[in-house]
Amino acid sequence: MKLLIITENACDLSEVLQSCPVEKDTMLFREAQTTDLTTYDAFCVLGNGGSNIDARLRSKLEEEADKGKHIFLEAISSFRSVYSANPVETTRSRLVYVEPAAGEGIEGLTTGDLLDDECGQTMTPWYSYAETVPLLVYREQIIAHTHTDMSAGEILQNSKIGLFRLGENVLMAMFCMRNFNRARFAPRENWKKLIRYIARFLTATEPAWMPEPVVRFAAETDFSDPAVWEKGRKETIENGIRWLEKYLVDNGNGGIREGLRHNILPDGEQLPINVIRNDCCGEAAGAFAMFGYVNGNDHYSRIAENIRKFQKNYIVREAPFAGMMRWSSEAWEVCYPDDAARAMIPGLFSALWMQDDRHFADICTCLDFLLQMTCQDGLTPARIEKWNQNEQTLAELRQREHGLPCAHYTAYYLAALLLAYKKCGKPAYLETAEKGLETLMSLYPDLRREQSETEEMCRLLLALSVLYDVTGKEKHREYLYRVTADLEKQRHPFGGYREWDTGYTAVCSRESRGECSLLAENGDPVTDSLYSMNWLPAAFAYAYHATKDAYFHDLWKNVVTFYMRTQMHAEDPMLDGAWCRAFDMDLKEAYGCPHDVGWAANCCETGWTVAEILMGMMLMDILPPSCN
């Protein structure tokens, strides 16, 4: 048995095939054009995104195919009767396996199993042919986690072919899969089954080697020993801070970039998000400030101060919008109250517990503006656009009876009011926050959800903790314990909290065309560290501070352990030390529904995710010593 691999570059797939126990050669396309192919028994032809084969080589390969020799072609647009459209991105589609009615299928896969290629490229043949046997097809808007229950007929309807047999001896993949490992195709085990199938198709043997994952997790690490746990927490925080540093602009003087998109290109490159968002700046400044304070490191304290000075550019100074906090460098005249509050809360932590109130006056100016957006029930609308508001419309807004009863859009604003009240005692801050949180809890759990019910619970907990800390009222204590008990119902044995949405009422729940929840089905073992779990380290730390109940200390330690076990470790410094949005607690890998328009499973946010987790991991260190 002798295999010829034709490729322009070494790649994951060629390296796997090199481990098969058969004789093999590797050639460039131009070398293969002038080589006698009759001495080979099988051929692997790896394109590089929509390649055509030179007619001289194609003629010889088709002659060998006519002899019954096995040929696998990847990202080759035309062979035999196949003729394809130009390559297009696969971001909004998913590969679904279909068991063939006759002939060998892919061992270990069943009809409906999903394989996600992140931000790949595919070429769809213009025509279908009788001798074509589809194995993988692309379908858009598949709302499922790892498997869809659709029948083979349903799957094939309105699908685009991805991998198919052409006759008995030609196998064609109409998408880029050569670097399946570098591009972090998922679920990993499903892709390994496909790769083994290709190896057996070409060599009738099993590969002796598979590449190690690009991203590794400490998922199986035993942190039960207190010394090991504390060492792990320290190292996890240091790794996260180093990752954040890489996204700074001018050492923080220009803020911090948003992070990494979910898009991973076929060669493994993950695209950056270079937008400067005020919320990400404030959260990152908080992480640097805490790290500098806890470790006595002036370098990181200076970075935090650089970012906070930069944030002054986002505060409107002219009436009637004085104190409006701009959302981002792009959405310059938009203000989201809750995003603005997340930019402020780290500064409030500094003012309360880190002897740094240099920016407290600006924070109060911004909170005073948000009070003007607050309706009679203590809640705000989701956002305000400066271009279509004036003094009169702002006044009308304050007279509205109801704001938006959604923790996603209001809980952190209410928490910021309460923290500011702790510092300055302004009655309007307490009155508004108390009214708003009591409004939310009067409707709970049937709030207007954005991502999921899990998100709403996670978002509420910090605000409820601060509320009880400030008022000491028994009913506010009951709110905190009630929401915590409900959230605990979704804790997975691995330690994280599953996404859940009773009745699938969230705006983004089971959605596939815009901003989308990770949730496909209630019960899926998937966590969301962009909208849900990322708020918990700080929330549980503060709940312990407010109640002095060891129950919350244990919950904080559990969620910190979860993040110690799910931090990404990679050779790529732009990945190493981060957390991405989705983690599957059964598979122990980054994986979740990939449809979101901008923030799907593999996105890494400097603010929302990484900085929030880091602050929560360190908050216990800055709270008054009596709580530790």
Side-chain angles (χ1 to χ4, degrees):
M1 174 69 194
K2 190 174 182 181
L3 170 68
L4 176 61
I5 302 169
I6 304 173
T7 181
E8 293 301 299
N9 306 101
C11 59
D12 295 334
L13 183 53
S14 68
E15 290 172 0
V16 170
L17 293 175
Q18 290 289 351
S19 76
C20 291
V22 297
E23 189 178 352
K24 51 209 160 274
D25 290 327
T26 301
M27 293 183 188
L28 300 174
F29 278 75
R30 65 176 181 272
E31 294 175 303
Q33 290 172 17
T34 57
T35 297
D36 179 8
L37 301 188
T38 62
T39 62
Y40 295 95
D41 303 296
F43 305 88
C44 175
V45 185
L46 302 176
N48 200 12
S51 300
N52 284 313
I53 307 175
D54 183 280
R56 293 164 290 181
L57 175 58
R58 176 172 177 159
S59 296
K60 294 197 292 182
L61 284 171
E62 291 194 350
E63 286 177 10
E64 298 306 303
D66 290 341
K67 299 174 185 177
K69 294 181 180 181
H70 281 206
I71 298 180
F72 170 67
L73 303 109
E74 178 254 13
I76 298 295
S77 62
S78 182
F79 192 75
R80 281 188 167 168
S81 55
V82 173
Y83 163 41
S84 306
N86 290 328
V88 294
E89 280 194 4
T90 63
T91 309
R92 308 311 298 278
S93 301
R94 307 180 77 178
L95 283 162
V96 190
Y97 175 64
V98 180
E99 183 76 22
E104 181 187 355
I106 300 176
E107 184 179 345
L109 295 183
T110 60
T111 294
D113 283 347
L114 298 174
L115 296 91
D116 292 323
D117 63 345
E118 309 311 334
C119 184
Q121 285 190 326
T122 187
M123 307 159 293
T124 302
W126 289 114
Y127 310 105
S128 60
Y129 303 95
E131 66 270 31
T132 296
V133 179
L135 296 171
L136 293 173
V137 297
Y138 280 104
R139 280 290 304 263
E140 294 185 352
Q141 281 81 47
I142 294 288
I143 301 175
H145 188 52
T146 58
H147 179 87
T148 175
D149 292 330
M150 288 192 296
S151 67
E154 291 172 313
I155 293 169
L156 291 172
Q157 190 175 17
N158 298 320
S159 66
K160 296 180 179 179
I161 201 158
L163 176 78
F164 61 95
R165 288 202 305 265
L166 188 61
E168 290 298 317
N169 62 310
V170 176
L171 182 65
M172 294 189 70
M174 307 308 297
F175 61 96
C176 297
M177 59 171 292
R178 52 192 288 119
N179 282 311
F180 66 93
N181 187 61
R182 288 174 224 180
R184 288 179 273 159
F185 289 5
R188 181 173 170 80
E189 286 303 314
N190 283 359
W191 284 99
K192 286 167 68 174
K193 290 167 186 173
L194 172 59
I195 300 304
R196 290 191 186 100
Y197 170 81
I198 294 169
R200 287 194 298 269
F201 176 83
L202 290 172
T203 70
T205 68
E206 290 283 335
W209 176 86
M210 282 282 177
E212 290 297 313
V214 169
V215 171
R216 304 175 305 280
F217 302 98
E220 305 303 330
T221 302
D222 181 3
F223 288 110
S224 58
D225 181 276
V228 173
W229 187 88
E230 187 56 45
K231 182 175 182 288
R233 181 175 76 112
K234 181 177 183 292
E235 291 176 349
T236 301
I237 292 168
E238 290 171 351
N239 291 341
I241 289 292
R242 281 195 296 269
W243 182 84
L244 274 183
E245 271 195 281
K246 296 177 177 68
Y247 292 83
L248 289 169
V249 177
D250 189 18
N251 202 39
N253 289 296
I256 195 167
R257 290 170 287 164
E258 188 174 350
L260 290 172
R261 300 182 188 278
H262 64 262
N263 310 69
I264 305 173
L265 301 182
D267 65 358
E269 178 189 2
Q270 188 166 357
L271 299 178
I273 314 176
N274 292 320
V275 174
I276 310 297
R277 287 177 52 147
N278 193 28
D279 49 356
C280 292
C281 289
E283 290 161 313
F288 287 124
M290 279 193 195
F291 188 77
Y293 180 80
V294 170
N295 294 282
N297 189 317
D298 290 342
H299 169 69
Y300 292 102
S301 298
R302 283 193 296 272
I303 289 174
E305 181 61 13
N306 290 344
I307 297 174
R308 286 172 175 168
K309 287 180 178 177
F310 170 76
Q311 285 184 276
K312 291 180 181 292
N313 294 288
Y314 286 82
I315 301 175
V316 178
R317 302 293 178 178
E318 303 81 21
F321 296 94
M324 177 179 135
M325 190 171 276
R326 304 180 187 277
W327 186 40
S328 72
S329 56
E330 293 183 340
W332 190 244
E333 297 204 329
V334 174
C335 175
Y336 284 90
D338 215 63
D339 287 8
R342 287 188 293 101
M344 290 184 259
I345 284 176
L348 290 165
F349 288 159
S350 289
L352 285 165
W353 296 298
M354 295 163 58
Q355 295 81 54
D356 182 2
D357 60 2
R358 286 174 289 179
H359 302 281
F360 184 68
D362 270 343
I363 291 172
C364 290
T365 298
C366 295
L367 287 175
D368 290 343
F369 172 78
L370 292 180
L371 285 176
Q372 298 181 60
M373 292 179 60
T374 305
C375 303
Q376 294 298 300
D377 60 358
L379 304 177
T380 64
R383 60 186 266 173
I384 186 170
E385 297 93 4
K386 186 171 179 285
W387 64 81
N388 64 6
Q389 298 285 348
N390 54 44
E391 195 164 356
Q392 179 180 342
T393 60
L394 290 174
E396 291 170 354
L397 187 60
R398 292 193 294 275
Q399 297 306 313
R400 286 188 196 172
E401 185 175 355
H402 299 297
L404 183 61
C406 175
H408 173 95
Y409 287 108
T410 59
Y412 269 55
Y413 162 53
L414 301 173
L417 288 174
L418 290 163
L419 290 167
Y421 173 79
K422 278 178 67 73
K423 177 68 176 175
C424 70
K426 185 171 182 175
Y429 293 167
L430 174 59
E431 292 164 7
T432 303
E434 189 170 3
K435 185 186 298 182
L437 284 166
E438 289 185 353
T439 299
L440 290 176
M441 290 308 296
S442 72
L443 300 170
Y444 175 85
D446 298 319
L447 299 171
R448 289 272 298 278
R449 303 170 191 157
E450 181 73 8
Q451 293 288 330
S452 67
E453 188 173 1
T454 300
E455 183 207 9
E456 289 293 290
M457 292 186 283
C458 292
R459 288 259 186 163
L460 280 169
L461 285 176
L462 177 63
L464 294 177
S465 298
V466 188
L467 179 65
Y468 177 59
D469 179 41
V470 169
T471 71
K473 293 180 180 180
E474 181 60 26
K475 69 174 180 178
H476 295 158
R477 184 180 186 276
E478 290 173 359
Y479 291 164
L480 174 59
Y481 279 84
R482 178 187 175 190
V483 175
T484 302
D486 289 344
L487 180 62
E488 280 298 290
K489 296 172 186 175
Q490 302 310 327
R491 198 207 287 198
H492 185 279
F494 185 76
Y497 294 87
R498 297 173 298 184
E499 285 297 286
W500 187 276
D501 188 23
T502 302
Y504 303 111
T505 64
V507 173
C508 300
S509 187
R510 298 180 62 77
E511 178 54 55
S512 62
R513 291 173 173 81
E515 290 193 32
C516 308
S517 168
L518 292 176
L519 182 64
E521 297 285 346
N522 283 329
D524 289 339
V526 63
T527 63
D528 189 335
S529 288
L530 178 61
Y531 291 113
S532 297
M533 275 200 66
N534 43 308
W535 317 119
L536 293 181
F540 286 145
Y542 205 107
Y544 176 56
H545 166 68
T547 64
K548 314 299 187 292
D549 187 343
Y551 168 65
F552 286 108
H553 190 282
D554 290 344
L555 293 178
W556 173 78
K557 188 171 183 179
N558 169 72
V559 78
V560 168
T561 303
F562 171 85
Y563 281 119
M564 287 156 58
R565 299 172 75 190
T566 58
Q567 187 177 52
M568 297 196 295
H569 300 278
E571 296 299 321
D572 184 346
M574 304 310 284
L575 297 175
D576 188 55
W579 291 272
C580 59
R581 180 180 179 182
F583 190 83
D584 185 301
M585 294 178 286
D586 286 351
L587 298 175
K588 310 291 193 303
E589 66 177 296
Y591 182 69
C593 193
H595 286 310
D596 191 281
V597 69
W599 297 276
N602 282 290
C603 78
C604 301
E605 289 278 316
T606 52
W608 292 64
T609 299
V610 176
E612 285 287 347
I613 292 167
L614 292 173
M615 283 192 291
M617 294 180 82
M618 291 184 282
L619 186 57
M620 200 71 79
D621 298 323
I622 71 165
L623 291 168
S626 61
C627 299
N628 295 322

